[in-house]
Amino acid sequence: MPSSKLRIALAGSVAALLLPGGVLADDYAQAPMLDARVAEGTLPPVEDRLPGNPFVETMVDGTGSYGGTLRTTILANGDQYNLTRTIANELLVRWDPDWQRIVPSLAEEVTASDDATTYTLRLREGLRWSDGAPFTADDIMFWYEDVFMNEALTPSKSSVFMAAGEPVAVTRIDDLTVEFKFAGPYGLFLQQLAYGQGHQPVIYPRHYLEQFHEDYNADGIPALLEVDPAAHDWVSLFNSKVSPSFQPVYWQNAELPTMNPWTLTVPYADGERVAATRNPYYWKVDPEGNQLPYIDGVTWAKVDDPQLMVLKMTSGEFDFAFRHINNATFRSVLHDGQETGNYHFLDVQDLPANDAVLMLNLNVEDPVKNAVFNDKDFRIALSHAINRQDIIDLIYVGQGTPSQVAVNPIHELHNERQSSQYTEYDPELAASLLDGILPEKDAEGYRLGPDGARFTINFMVADVYGLSYPDIMQMVQQYAADVGLDIQIRTTDRTRLSTMWNANEQDAYIWSCTGGLSEVYTDPRCYMPYQKADVFFASKWSDWYADHGRGEEPPQEVQDLMAAYDAVTAAVTEEDRKALMESFLERSAEAFLNIGIVRPEPKYMMVSNDLHNVKDGIPVSGILWHPAPTLSQWHFGGSR
């Protein structure tokens, strides 16, 4: 089959002993905190810990200096992706810091067939897990054969590794090489692999996890279950050690070997902090041959309230923060606190499709609510009932634009119809539409369902991202009441909400939506039922999309929408892909599955004045888990 080396492949055969800066392998340097371990023989020399051809990080400002602990913060519960965005997200290939092209990472070379069905990836030779064990093709095959294709562990396959309705076939070529073969063209595969959800093949260390797998340790599993009362069988035991989507259990197992720059020493569990220390086997260096990361460790202070995060940032207790407090609500306070907190602002290109989205559960179990929620006119009516500009003015101090879920206007895929439709505040039109759906009212003026009972929507509301969702929902609650709809607000935290999502127990909730820029190509979760990652407005349809033998078959309009996206993923050329994506977005606009409120302004992050090599204007999205891939070059103090 014809094939072509993609631009992520290394040009020619770069000599493994010579780095771009002209440094020989025996000139590699390591962090001083590791010197004693090497001297006493408990840790191999740095040249034996690095791969033969280590990843050479491009410095933002210049070569850095070793040492120090990065102090940052995390919500006390349900904020596991904060950890992922800080110290994880090591992938086979990755996006460059400017989000312009895909570059080598754990894989140093990729070959793709011209028909976009087959991808061959060759790993760097000499890669090691954080405990020193070799990282090879056998680890990827363990993920594929024993986790991904194991129905007990993976009953629902990630759409990242599906094409033409079939899961990928992965074949081991040799110790360093694997082949990913799809049943049909999959032109988006490398993009998918370079985003956060492409991590699955590289987070399952076989040498560690096989002890918890029935196929490898059937005789030993009973003894392991005896000492782990929370696990009732080998599947729950295995799932308590690692998570395919970086759920909390991943960050609660400090024994799990990783390929990350830092490894956990204090897990994300009970206690007041989370902590990580440098991985001595990390596989990246700077242009002078200094093993990364520069910083010795990272600590996260666990905080319950974003306002407390702001207070601690302005008092100088953190070196870096952006999640939960980098929005219009806190900007003025954080701006005024730069001197006392010893930090400055850097721009973050974080432009999601919408910052506040009402997600009615289109697969809700209640038959009355299911029928009403699936009536498009009901969703249109609720949308017209909302005064978006008032919400923006009062909650977001005027920062933002009324909008539905849509690609940002700065991107070539922006669809103005999708953005602006049904955003006009028109309670009379809303009431008129509702009169045709729920015409009867009770004595208090609230609408009744066809069963004669008051039609009540229970909205689950978690105060996350510092986006003031409880305040927004109080305003939405009143707008809905003005047109006769009863909304009851149920406050919760992200952990509890996640449990409800996965059990399909919620009527509705409010959340943010990724897909505002180029990530919309690979992550359309807010534009159609897709991956179940924070967005659960039609989880049964999502299951069906991944596997037609599961979930619930959606209506034809939704199936057509899914087919339109399948055409996008199969496109081989960028021109075809763009045209097909525009068609998909038009179909999504017509379906109008969610109700957006506000398109956000660009965000920011706070960085200590003592930190260097931090990129200004770094792009971030729901699946582009920056700044993690570049944080290993951050350092305190001046250059060497």
Side-chain angles (χ1 to χ4, degrees):
M1 178 180 296
S3 63
S4 58
K5 291 278 182 68
L6 299 189
R7 57 180 171 178
I8 73 162
L10 297 180
S13 55
V14 180
L17 294 180
L18 190 64
L19 299 177
V23 179
L24 296 175
D26 57 6
D27 290 330
Y28 288 135
Q30 66 185 9
M33 70 175 290
L34 301 176
D35 290 347
R37 293 174 60 186
V38 173
E40 65 189 18
T42 58
L43 186 69
V46 63
E47 60 268 20
D48 294 338
R49 302 196 309 268
L50 286 165
N53 179 32
F55 183 102
V56 182
E57 189 70 76
T58 300
M59 301 291 104
V60 172
D61 300 320
T63 302
S65 55
Y66 285 120
T69 298
L70 182 72
R71 303 167 303 160
T72 185
T73 183
I74 189 171
L75 289 178
N77 295 293
D79 198 16
Q80 62 272 11
Y81 292 115
N82 199 333
L83 296 165
T84 305
R85 291 181 180 276
T86 310
I87 65 169
N89 199 36
E90 301 295 354
L91 305 163
L92 289 167
V93 296
R94 83 177 205 198
W95 288 98
D96 70 352
D98 293 318
W99 201 6
Q100 295 300 309
R101 63 192 183 97
I102 298 171
V103 298
S105 195
L106 288 165
E108 66 178 359
E109 183 178 288
V110 176
T111 304
S113 63
D114 290 339
D115 64 357
T117 62
T118 307
Y119 298 83
T120 305
L121 291 86
R122 181 171 179 81
L123 301 173
R124 298 177 188 275
E125 185 172 6
L127 290 167
R128 294 182 180 274
W129 293 97
S130 55
D131 63 356
F135 175 89
T136 70
D138 290 335
D139 294 292
I140 295 177
M141 294 309 300
F142 177 77
W143 157 75
Y144 175 68
E145 294 176 339
D146 300 305
V147 180
F148 182 75
M149 295 302 291
N150 186 296
E151 287 298 317
L153 291 175
T154 313
S156 180
K157 308 295 187 250
S158 168
S159 54
V160 172
F161 302 100
M162 301 277 292
E166 298 292 333
V168 64
V170 182
T171 303
R172 182 187 189 277
I173 304 301
D174 57 38
D175 287 349
L176 299 177
T177 311
V178 291
E179 178 190 84
F180 288 72
K181 187 174 182 60
F182 295 94
Y186 192 1
L188 280 175
F189 178 58
L190 289 182
Q191 288 193 36
Q192 291 280 25
L193 209 56
Y195 282 119
Q197 67 264 42
H199 64 272
Q200 289 191 22
V202 298
I203 65 168
Y204 289 91
R206 174 177 176 169
H207 70 284
Y208 169 75
L209 289 172
E210 62 184 8
Q211 65 182 306
F212 309 111
H213 198 293
E214 186 178 52
D215 291 349
Y216 294 87
N217 190 28
D219 293 339
I221 294 292
L224 294 172
L225 290 173
E226 286 183 9
V227 297
D228 191 343
H232 58 273
D233 58 15
W234 80 268
V235 173
S236 58
L237 177 67
F238 189 94
N239 286 335
S240 71
K241 305 301 179 182
V242 66
S243 165
S245 55
F246 288 129
Q247 290 303 304
V249 295
Y250 181 91
W251 300 108
Q252 292 165 357
N253 183 8
E255 296 179 354
L256 179 69
T258 76
M259 302 301 291
N260 300 329
W262 296 274
T263 61
L264 284 179
T265 54
V266 179
Y268 188 30
D270 295 334
E272 297 180 351
R273 70 186 186 111
V274 183
T277 190
R278 71 167 61 252
N279 170 8
Y281 294 93
Y282 194 54
W283 43 281
K284 296 180 183 179
V285 297
D286 69 16
E288 295 186 10
N290 300 301
Q291 186 188 33
L292 299 174
Y294 290 132
I295 292 174
D296 290 335
V298 185
T299 60
W300 295 260
K302 293 173 66 177
V303 178
D304 289 320
D305 186 353
Q307 294 187 23
L308 184 56
M309 287 182 176
V310 172
L311 178 62
K312 288 179 175 291
M313 190 75 222
T314 56
S315 63
E317 295 184 40
F318 302 144
D319 301 306
F320 158 69
F322 78 110
R323 276 173 71 88
H324 310 299
I325 59 176
N326 66 335
N327 50 61
T329 304
F330 300 119
R331 187 178 187 111
S332 61
V333 175
L334 287 165
H335 182 272
D336 293 343
Q338 291 179 86
E339 184 174 353
T340 58
N342 187 38
Y343 62 86
H344 58 281
F345 278 22
L346 290 181
D347 290 333
V348 175
Q349 296 180 45
D350 183 7
L351 292 170
N354 207 281
D355 256 355
V357 183
L358 306 184
M359 297 190 181
L360 302 174
N361 185 356
L362 304 183
N363 295 156
V364 67
E365 300 295 342
D366 185 304
V368 172
K369 293 178 180 178
N370 189 299
V372 173
F373 291 172
N374 276 282
D375 188 329
K376 178 181 172 181
D377 282 344
F378 178 81
R379 301 194 295 273
I380 293 173
L382 181 54
S383 184
H384 279 303
I386 298 169
N387 190 330
R388 290 168 172 80
Q389 193 59 56
D390 268 5
I391 290 175
I392 292 168
D393 291 341
L394 293 174
I395 306 299
Y396 292 143
V397 292
Q399 300 295 303
T401 304
S403 179
Q404 301 292 354
V405 175
V407 177
N408 194 277
I410 69 171
H411 197 275
E412 63 182 2
L413 288 175
H414 177 67
N415 182 312
E416 182 56 32
R417 172 202 174 189
Q418 189 164 44
S419 175
S420 61
Q421 66 178 352
Y422 317 129
T423 56
E424 181 184 2
Y425 176 51
D426 192 340
E428 290 185 2
L429 175 58
S432 175
L433 289 168
L434 290 172
D435 287 343
I437 303 168
L438 302 170
E440 302 299 325
K441 297 181 181 179
D442 62 18
E444 296 180 60
Y446 285 106
R447 297 182 184 275
L448 305 177
D451 57 356
R454 178 182 290 187
F455 187 81
T456 298
I457 308 173
N458 295 307
F459 255 90
M460 305 305 299
V461 182
D463 191 4
V464 294
Y465 307 133
L467 291 172
S468 304
Y469 287 159
D471 297 331
I472 290 175
M473 280 310 305
Q474 286 183 9
M475 295 183 71
V476 171
Q477 183 181 45
Q478 184 57 57
Y479 297 139
D482 291 344
V483 295
L485 283 178
D486 180 29
I487 286 179
Q488 294 297 313
I489 298 172
R490 302 285 186 259
T491 58
T492 185
D493 60 25
R494 183 170 182 164
T495 301
R496 170 58 182 155
L497 184 53
S498 179
T499 300
M500 295 186 69
W501 287 337
N502 285 285
N504 196 41
E505 293 176 347
Q506 82 284 2
D507 283 357
Y509 68 105
I510 181 171
W511 207 253
S512 64
C513 266
T514 187
L517 296 173
S518 293
E519 78 276 12
V520 69
Y521 277 109
T522 54
D523 189 3
R525 73 180 94 161
C526 287
Y527 298 88
M528 73 173 223
Y530 187 62
Q531 291 181 338
K532 296 189 298 183
D534 292 346
V535 176
F536 287 75
F537 65 87
S539 60
K540 292 183 179 180
W541 296 347
S542 297
D543 286 341
W544 183 89
Y545 177 68
D547 180 353
H548 288 4
R550 302 182 66 251
E552 178 182 292
E553 183 174 354
Q556 190 60 50
E557 179 187 33
V558 176
Q559 291 188 44
D560 292 343
L561 181 63
M562 293 171 170
Y565 181 68
D566 287 342
V568 174
T569 66
V572 175
T573 69
E574 292 184 5
E575 293 79 10
D576 287 347
R577 188 176 303 125
K578 178 177 180 293
L580 290 165
M581 194 68 194
E582 289 172 340
S583 176
F584 165 78
L585 291 173
E586 188 64 31
R587 283 182 178 272
S588 179
E590 181 63 29
F592 188 57
L593 300 172
N594 295 305
I595 303 168
I597 295 177
V598 56
R599 180 174 69 235
E601 299 295 319
K603 295 184 174 65
Y604 56 93
M605 65 182 178
M606 287 67 63
V607 177
S608 168
N609 294 329
D610 300 321
L611 271 176
H612 299 267
N613 278 348
V614 184
K615 179 178 173 58
D616 193 4
I618 192 167
V620 174
S621 81
I623 57 172
L624 187 69
W625 290 343
H626 287 172
T630 58
L631 200 139
S632 61
Q633 68 169 278
W634 291 13
H635 69 98
F636 293 102
S639 298
R640 289 185 175 184

